[in-house]
Amino acid sequence: MSFLYPLFLAGIAAIGLPILLHMIRQHTRHRVTFSSLMFLRATMPRFRNRSRIENLPLLILRCLILCLLALAFSRPFFAKPIEESEGSLGKRIVLLVDTSASMRRPGMWTQAINQASSALRDIRPSDRVCVMTFDRDVQTLLGFEQWEALDPAQRATAAIESLSDLSPGWNATNLGAALITAAEAIEDDEVNVQQQPVGSRQIVLVSDLQQGSDIDALRTYEWPQGLALTLKAVASPGATNAALQIVANRDPLAAPSEDERTSIRVTNSAEATFEQFQLHWASDAATSEPERSVDVYVPPGNSGIVRTPEGLDAGSARRLILTGDDQDFDNTLYLAPHLKQQINILYLGNDDPNDTKDTLFYVRRAFSATGATRFSVTAQRSDAPLTDADMDAAHVVIVTDAIGQDDVATLRRYLERGRMALLVMKSEQAGDALARLAGAGNLEYREAEVNRYAMLSRLEYSHPLLAPFSDPRFGDFTRVHFWKYRGVTLDNYPQARVLAWFDTNHPAWFEVPVGQGTLLVFTCGWQPADSDLALSSKFVPLLYSVLEYGGVLTGRQLQYFIGDPVPLSFGVPPSDGSEPRKRGTPNAATVVRKPDDSVVSLDATEQAFTQTDLPGIYRVESAGGERLFAINLAPQESRTDPMPIEDLENLGVVQSAFGGPAVANAAAVAQAKRVNDLVRMEEQQKLWRWVLVLVLAVLLVETWLAGWLTRVHPVETQDLASPPSPGEQ
Amino acid sequence: MIDPISLMKIKSMELRAKVIVEGFWKGIHRSPFHGFSVEFSEYRQYTPGDDPRHIDWRVYARSDRYFIKKFQDETNLRCYLLLDHSRSMGYGSGSYTKAQYAGTLAATLAYFLFTQGDAVGLATFDDRIRQYMPPRNRPSYLKRLMLGLEAQPEGGATDLGPPLQRIAQMLTKRGLIVLVSDLLTSIDRLETDLGYLCAGGHDVVLFQTLDPAELHFDFDTPAIFRDIESGRDMYIDPVVAQKNYQQRLEGHLAASRATCQSLGIDYHLFATDRPFDLALLDFLQDRMRRRKQIHRAGGSRLGRAI
């Protein structure tokens, strides 16, 4: 008989415990205080054997129960000879070839092909092979099924040919995901073919194993048992590699600075032999003007930040080139034109722009120019006639006073086209404009009676306008006091959505749909006569939120890397009068021209451009005009120093002998197979169940015997405590 | 006769003694009340620390001086109660200890002797004298005596030699010495120790009080026995050890009795479950026998009523 978990047999030793306790109980722990021991002599403690003898059957039964329990836990089974079939089973191998940008270094790809070829030539006909390439994603060149379908003599050749047709791309390296995909491919194949994991399992990795490889995915992955990684490393002769990167810490709301030159971070590899590099614009290289280049000194393993060389207009697409290191693939940085977003705000009201007691003054202060945006606030008297041209140029309209009948019609047309206007009811007269704009003739409005001040009591933080205030740190509006407001009754106007209520249950802010557009209504002005709003910290964020809600102000990412999806509304405003889009609104048909002059047409439903597989300047051509954006190499791809293999081992990856046959792995697999066979054998026999049945039977007998002894021999049990005759000593 | 267990439930030592003695007198129908006289001895100038009650105010009225009026008592008997308060006396298998029994016994004798008008003193000792009260005969002194008797044993091992030697030196006047002890000490020096008392011409009565458990050693289960005096532990199986214990105890008691006999000491062995009346009766019978012997021998009188 064999045991699956023989260590549990050590539990048999537990039967010593009741016996030991029985022995200990013979020693008296009874203490008696006596006046004098002068007439006494010490006697030797005696063990009374009578109780053990009389209860011996019980003791034996109880010990037997413990033994049987230990036996059941050790999972016994009858071993049968295991048929040896490993020799007939081949290995499962995934050949994983790195095609990331770092493999573009001189000679690397040739080395990689050679390494892969040598690995493929060693493969036996019984092996199952899958060839994959990886960079940011994993592509399968030749699956297990395709490999099986090929003529065994032609398999290696076909795989080498498919690899030879490839060349490294520009993507970053996601080594962790690639290894997981390869490991899962092997496990899936085992499941699909319905074979036991016999034969060895192996991943052959052909890579430069650069430090910039992303291996984080392995942290949450349990490396399969018996799967070994064989690394076939390729190396580049030059150790110095410097890289360029835009410093992306610009605050888009910061005040514009005079120096428009971009900051560039230059990093140097840790094992570099050079420390001196030069930066110059690509167009200047031809003219070779020395004053246009910048010398950069970066010690090995460090980075430095420099300004771009002077000379080229920030409004044009540029190419910055670094020279002085061994590796050229990451020495070019593309910079898209740095364009500011122009936002035109049309203010309809009769205010004096310099009057601090009126609303326009605060609008001008709130919308001052920033580094990323240029605001233009145009004030127009409400009695002046509005033209469609005025309206088309405006991204958003703010109305604070009553406007004429014609102006209402113009504004309504503006709204119906999908635009947004903000109506601030500074006075009761503005209610008329509201009723006409909203198309609600029976709208009730009047000056509300306020007892000292009113506060906002309920706010719809789920609404996009107030979403920035949903965090409890920012959502406290209780310090904003409203002295006067216009009470509007919206009971007869269910289309209106109230965003904030006063504590008197009057709506404070609400929105009314007008055609495709939206009319936002504040029933209280922000000038000091009406409220504290303009003086509170909520005012500027609220107005910016209005712009964002209207689709006027969009977030803008400063730089994009290879593989990043680029949103098609990536921040360039339609300064030429085209209509702004609300968030989520599909764009019109758009064409993107890639750096290699290939053209990608996007239909109206696509939100982002995803084919960013080349570094360079991309040109978006749409009906609204032409926009540019730059795609650069991922900065981690420039970290080309080799990664210590221990980093992978720390994450659980089992490595076979470096580049050699997986001997240790084979032994481990054989051991795993043997264990697996034993487990299956035990599961088929399930002897532990019978042992447990036996335990229950013995328990029943023991219970009956103990009860019988208690009933039948109570006197004898008592006798056990009585002293033995002196002759027993 | 009153069961000692019931009697010991009476908290007050004096009341306990009173119950025993008056019950005893009723039994033998003899009046305990006899007069006694004191004889004026001398005047002495008052010194601070003297009891102001003894100041003779008439002398003060005449001479404007404080004088203490001293009496020479004519008590016929001075009785010294020597009580062993060694730690072994704190043992008791029942609801009371040997010390409590011995205390009650002494209190009974004291009360009895007080009713006779005799002076009673008290000394408690273990390996040295713990408290000493000279013999007096005043009703208020009885209360103090009773309080002294209620003290619990706190001493160490029994060592009769040094305290008895010291007491013998202190007792200048001859009298009756009642020694109550368990005599759980070395028998070799017992004769010497008791000899100190006899050498002074005192009549000595020895009450050896032992617990019934000490006399019979009727324990059931083996246990670790701890010596109450030395704290020494010893594993004892009573079944095995009892026979030997009895032999050695008998030997010890026989030796004690023989020693007392040789020294002329009245020896009484008391188990602590024995009624006090019997103890008192034993004592009186003993005294009567002793008086007859003295009369026959023409020796000096020591007591009047006893």
Side-chain angles (χ1 to χ4, degrees), chain A residues 524-595:
Chain A
C524 176
W526 51 71
Q527 75 278 19
D530 268 14
S531 72
D532 282 344
L533 183 61
L535 304 176
S536 77
S537 60
K538 312 288 184 216
F539 179 61
V540 176
L542 185 66
L543 287 189
Y544 272 78
S545 186
V546 167
L547 292 187
E548 283 185 14
Y549 178 53
V552 177
L553 188 68
T554 53
R556 184 189 174 198
Q557 196 171 337
L558 195 64
Q559 54 182 331
Y560 297 94
F561 300 115
I562 299 278
D564 283 350
V566 178
L568 290 175
S569 58
F570 57 95
V572 181
S575 55
D576 50 1
S578 66
E579 294 181 3
R581 292 176 302 108
K582 281 201 155 188
R583 269 186 254 184
T585 312
N587 199 0
T590 308
V591 171
V592 178
R593 190 175 296 277
K594 293 170 68 172

Side-chain angles (χ1 to χ4, degrees), chain A residues 146-363:
Chain A
Q146 292 168 283
W147 177 271
E148 281 293 298
L150 288 172
D151 177 19
Q154 301 297 320
R155 286 170 179 169
T157 315
I160 293 169
E161 280 178 3
S162 65
L163 277 174
S164 303
D165 294 342
L166 290 177
S167 62
W170 289 99
N171 276 312
T173 314
N174 193 345
L175 179 59
L179 287 173
I180 291 172
T181 308
E184 286 174 346
I186 289 178
E187 290 187 321
D188 289 348
D189 186 52
E190 285 168 356
V191 173
N192 292 340
V193 184
Q194 293 183 340
Q195 284 182 0
Q196 293 302 321
V198 285
S200 66
R201 305 190 282 176
Q202 192 177 2
I203 294 175
V204 179
L205 174 66
V206 181
S207 170
D208 56 354
L209 209 66
Q210 57 171 142
Q211 279 190 345
S213 304
D214 183 4
I215 53 173
D216 285 346
L218 286 170
R219 294 186 195 282
T220 54
Y221 182 72
E222 187 180 354
W223 192 251
Q225 194 179 9
L227 177 60
L229 174 73
T230 302
L231 176 66
K232 290 185 178 295
V234 290
S236 167
T240 307
N241 183 29
L244 295 170
Q245 187 189 357
I246 301 173
V247 179
N249 59 352
R250 285 249 179 118
D251 179 6
L253 293 180
S257 66
E258 292 180 0
D259 190 357
E260 292 288 339
R261 289 189 295 162
T262 313
S263 296
I264 304 292
R265 179 184 290 115
V266 182
T267 54
N268 196 4
S269 56
E271 296 174 1
T273 51
F274 303 116
E275 301 171 339
Q276 197 75 36
F277 309 103
Q278 291 81 40
L279 273 179
H280 60 82
W281 295 111
S283 54
D284 286 356
T287 56
S288 66
E289 293 179 23
E291 68 272 13
R292 294 290 179 89
S293 71
V294 172
D295 287 335
V296 187
Y297 171 75
V298 183
N302 288 354
S303 65
I305 293 178
V306 293
R307 294 277 187 187
T308 51
E310 293 179 357
L312 281 189
D313 179 18
S316 63
R318 296 160 297 169
R319 196 152 57 96
L320 193 65
I321 293 177
L322 179 137
T323 54
D325 67 344
D326 296 330
Q327 318 293 353
D328 289 337
F329 75 102
D330 56 350
N331 283 358
T332 306
L333 183 73
Y334 297 92
L335 295 164
H338 183 62
L339 294 178
K340 284 192 174 182
Q341 186 178 3
Q342 173 71 40
I343 294 179
N344 299 325
I345 296 165
L346 179 61
Y347 182 92
L348 296 180
N350 302 324
D351 302 357
D352 178 2
N354 297 319
D355 186 1
T356 58
K357 294 178 182 170
D358 227 330
T359 48
L360 178 58
F361 176 81
Y362 298 100
V363 173

Side-chain angles (χ1 to χ4, degrees), chain B residues 8-26:
Chain B
M8 294 303 273
K9 288 176 182 168
I10 300 173
K11 292 285 178 195
S12 164
M13 185 72 87
E14 187 179 355
L15 188 59
R16 223 183 285 164
K18 189 177 175 184
V19 167
I20 297 166
V21 172
E22 291 186 355
F24 177 77
W25 279 125
K26 279 175 191 165

Side-chain angles (χ1 to χ4, degrees), chain A residues 41-57:
Chain A
R41 280 182 187 161
T43 47
M44 288 300 291
R46 293 171 304 125
F47 298 108
R48 291 183 183 153
N49 297 326
R50 284 179 60 195
S51 63
R52 278 176 58 196
I53 291 167
E54 288 197 359
N55 289 327
L56 195 59

Side-chain angles (χ1 to χ4, degrees), chain A residues 650-670:
Chain A
N650 289 341
L651 294 173
V653 177
V654 178
Q655 193 206 2
S656 65
F658 194 77
V663 178
N665 183 41
V669 169

